[in-house]
């Protein structure tokens, strides 16, 4: 269900204006500029079958909002009524009340009609009293009904709206490969985009978001996808309003998704997310607006068969990693320092990437000579005029993240100031971060001494 703003209908005049002006989402302030009382509900909402709690990942919850702009107090004073009624649709839908108060509940009624005492500004996502529709016992996927809402204003008028509910949901998932290993640098990675409906009712129109991150880029800018300007070509948003996917079926988009693989990045990723157009994206999804359509081939859908149906399907934002068949030779350098006892000296600890690629991250570990004391270390700003140490200290060793890694041929330095206390030797070395392996072919230059001379 797309949680589109529903018709906002003060009785009488508002209904006439909606009929006259067509696709307006509401009636408040039409032609006059004056703020009007309003009410918003979904046009369409899919219900889980009775007793079934599985369904789409992070589904946007049922949402009712209403506001009486003329109310003396819009918050806290319970001087308005919200009526929810499914009379005539009891075979498909019933009402449930979620009121966390055991004493003095604000809502009363039965499975067909509930009246709640609410404030002049009501929001079912934040108010303590929620009335929401659920599938009725004995209902079947595809059954539908109407939920009618009425919100009384302090002036004695009423706003009305209604939602069509359908038992069962289209549950849209995409085929995913978690990791593409040993991909040749500079190659074109091709992978099918397969969309499956694991729900109980047909998918009627599909939305799709494709996103690439550093290390891969789209080979084509598809003619029926838009590319939002702020994302600089890294996001494609596509809509297929005429696409129908029956329950249990899948479609494959053609041509396959084609990604140009970098020659200088060891790791990359891309994301896929698909949704039913009349439900909208998942609750926490961000789908950028705007953007021109591409000038490349158009994506078309065909029934998925054979190999396209194998593997894993997942809902929501599906992430795939691309591991490029290359490596990075990181090198650290020996440092020598000399001076009288109790004098202070700055050491420059350098790490260089000899290439050929950037792993995207690494760590420099510095263990000071036992005879030296660190009196100054790298800092980072965390607020205006507020700083904290950039490197973590654990059991005498400083751990400094080489954020973003290093491009081939680049060097990064970390400066520490030492107070000398006599001769001694410490070390500096570079290591991998978590699962980011440099696959370094020359590990001998990963470690070097830091020496205080006599």
């Amino acid at each position: 269900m797309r949680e589109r703003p529903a018709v906002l209908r003060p009785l009488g005049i508002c209904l006439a204006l909606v009929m006259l002006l067509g696709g307006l989402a509401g009636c408040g302030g039409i032609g006059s500029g004056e703020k009007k009382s309003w009410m918003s509900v979904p046009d369409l909402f899919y219900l889980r079958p009775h007793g079934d709690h599985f369904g789409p990942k992070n589904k946007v919850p049922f949402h009712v909002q209403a506001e009486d702009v003329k109310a003396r107090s819009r918050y806290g004073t319970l001087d308005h009524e919200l009526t929810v009624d499914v009379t005539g649709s009891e075979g498909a839908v019933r009402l449930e009340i979620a009121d966390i108060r055991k004493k003095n509940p604000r809502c009363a009624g039965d499975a067909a009609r509930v009246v709640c005492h609410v404030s002049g500004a009501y929001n079912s996502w934040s108010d303590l009293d929620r009335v929401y529709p659920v599938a009725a016992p004995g209902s079947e996927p595809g059954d539908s009904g109407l939920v009618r809402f009425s919100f009384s204003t302090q002036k004695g008028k009423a706003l009305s709206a209604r939602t069509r509910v359908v038992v069962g949901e289209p549950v849209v998932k995409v085929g995913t490969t978690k990791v593409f290993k040993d991909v040749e640098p500079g190659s074109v990675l091709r992978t099918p985009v397969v969309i499956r409906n694991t729900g109980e009712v047909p998918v009627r129109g599909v939305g799709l978001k494709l996103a690439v991150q550093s290390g891969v880029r789209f080979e084509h800018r598809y003619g029926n996808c838009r590319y939002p300007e702020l994302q600089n070509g890294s996001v494609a948003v596509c809509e297929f309003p005429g696409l129908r996917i029956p329950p249990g079926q899948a479609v494959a988009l053609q041509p396959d998704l084609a990604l140009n693989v970098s020659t200088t990045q060891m790791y990359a990723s891309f994301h896929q997310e698909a949704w039913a157009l009349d439900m909208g994206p998942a609750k926490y999804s961000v789908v950028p607006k705007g953007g021109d359509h591409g000038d490349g081939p158009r994506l078309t859908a065909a029934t998925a068969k054979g190999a396209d149906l194998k593997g894993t399907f997942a809902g929501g934002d599906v992430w795939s990693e691309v591991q490029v068949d290359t490596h990075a030779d990181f090198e650290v350098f020996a440092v020598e320092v000399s001076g009288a006892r109790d004098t202070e000296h700055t050491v420059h600890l350098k790490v260089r990437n000899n290439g050929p690629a950037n792993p995207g991250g690494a760590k420099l570990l510095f263990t000071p000579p036992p005879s030296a004391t660190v009196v100054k270390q790298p800092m980072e700003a965390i607020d205006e005029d507020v700083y904290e140490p950039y490197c973590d200290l654990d059991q005498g060793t400083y751990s400094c993240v080489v954020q973003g890694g290093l491009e081939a041929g680049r060097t990064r330095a970390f400066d520490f100031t030492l107070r000398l206390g006599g001769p001694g030797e410490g070390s500096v070395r570079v290591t991998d971060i978590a699962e980011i392996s440099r696959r370094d072919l020359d590990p001998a230059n990963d470690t070097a001494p830091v020496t205080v001379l006599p």
Side-chain angles (χ1 to χ4, degrees), residues 242-261:
L243 182 57
R244 301 292 184 264
I245 309 177
Q249 300 296 308
V251 298
L253 300 183
Q254 297 296 329
D256 286 349
L257 177 62
L259 303 174
N260 292 322
V261 180

Side-chain angles (χ1 to χ4, degrees), residues 165-432:
V165 293
V166 176
V167 177
E169 294 174 298
V171 181
V172 180
K173 297 183 178 181
V174 295
T176 178
T177 300
K178 187 66 176 175
V179 180
F180 292 86
K181 295 183 178 181
D182 301 325
V183 178
E184 183 180 353
S187 65
V188 178
L189 173 63
R190 300 183 189 277
T191 183
V193 177
V194 184
I195 302 171
R196 169 175 270 173
N197 178 11
T198 63
E200 303 82 21
V201 297
V203 172
R204 303 181 185 278
V206 171
L208 174 69
K209 183 178 78 170
L210 303 170
V212 295
Q213 295 186 341
S214 176
V216 291
R217 59 184 176 84
F218 294 119
E219 185 178 44
H220 304 298
R221 291 172 65 92
Y222 301 108
N224 52 343
C225 301
R226 54 183 178 82
Y227 293 81
E229 185 175 354
L230 290 179
Q231 281 64 41
N232 296 315
S234 66
V235 172
V237 180
C238 322
E239 290 190 354
F240 308 90
L243 182 57
R244 301 292 184 264
I245 309 177
Q249 300 296 308
V251 298
L253 300 183
Q254 297 296 329
D256 286 349
L257 177 62
L259 303 174
N260 292 322
V261 180
S262 171
T263 59
T264 60
Q265 299 292 321
M266 293 183 63
Y267 299 94
S269 66
F270 66 93
H271 299 246
Q272 306 173 73
E273 182 178 2
W275 59 90
L277 281 180
D278 57 6
M279 290 187 69
K283 183 177 180 180
Y284 302 107
S285 296
V286 177
V287 179
K289 298 183 181 300
D292 295 330
H293 285 77
D295 55 5
R298 294 178 63 85
L299 287 172
T300 60
T303 302
K305 299 177 182 178
D308 289 340
L309 296 175
K310 296 180 180 179
T312 302
F313 285 79
D317 185 12
V318 178
W319 176 85
S320 295
E321 180 184 349
V322 179
Q323 297 180 355
V324 185
D325 188 15
T326 185
H327 65 278
D329 173 23
F330 273 39
E331 180 180 7
V332 293
F333 301 89
V335 176
E336 292 182 345
V337 60
S338 62
R341 187 182 296 271
D342 291 330
T343 59
E344 295 181 1
H345 299 264
T346 297
V347 295
H348 307 287
L349 307 179
K350 296 180 180 180
V351 54
R352 182 174 69 197
N353 181 5
N354 296 322
N358 181 4
K363 267 192 303 191
L364 180 138
L365 301 180
F366 171 47
T367 303
S371 59
T373 302
V374 174
V375 296
K376 189 176 181 180
Q377 60 177 297
M379 306 290 285
E380 65 175 339
I382 59 173
D383 205 341
E384 186 175 358
D385 297 327
V386 180
Y387 297 84
E388 69 177 10
Y390 179 82
C391 306
D392 295 329
L393 177 61
D394 182 24
Q395 298 182 357
T397 295
Y398 293 85
S399 173
C400 311
V401 175
V402 185
Q403 193 70 39
L406 288 171
E407 298 295 334
R410 300 293 298 273
T411 298
R412 171 140 187 208
F414 296 91
D415 294 345
F416 288 81
T417 300
L418 305 180
R419 179 179 295 119
L420 305 186
E425 183 174 291
S427 67
V428 59
R429 60 192 175 98
V430 63
T431 66
D432 293 334

Side-chain angles (χ1 to χ4, degrees), residues 58-139:
N58 292 326
K59 176 184 175 182
V60 176
F62 194 82
H63 196 193
V64 180
Q65 292 177 281
E67 183 179 11
D68 178 5
V69 299
K70 303 294 185 181
R72 288 191 297 271
S73 173
R74 276 179 267 174
Y75 302 95
T77 304
L78 306 180
D79 52 4
H80 291 66
E81 283 189 353
L82 173 71
T83 302
V84 187
D85 194 336
V86 297
T87 303
S89 297
E90 294 94 332
V93 59
R94 63 188 298 271
L95 300 176
E96 287 192 356
I97 303 173
D99 189 336
I100 67 171
R101 283 175 304 277
K102 301 302 180 184
K103 295 182 179 179
N104 303 316
R106 299 176 183 176
C107 297
D110 54 30
R113 187 176 184 274
V114 173
V115 178
C116 295
H117 296 281
V118 298
S119 64
Y122 175 77
N123 187 330
S124 64
W125 284 1
S126 57
D127 274 53
L128 299 178
D129 313 284
R130 301 180 183 93
V131 181
Y132 54 93
V134 297
S139 60

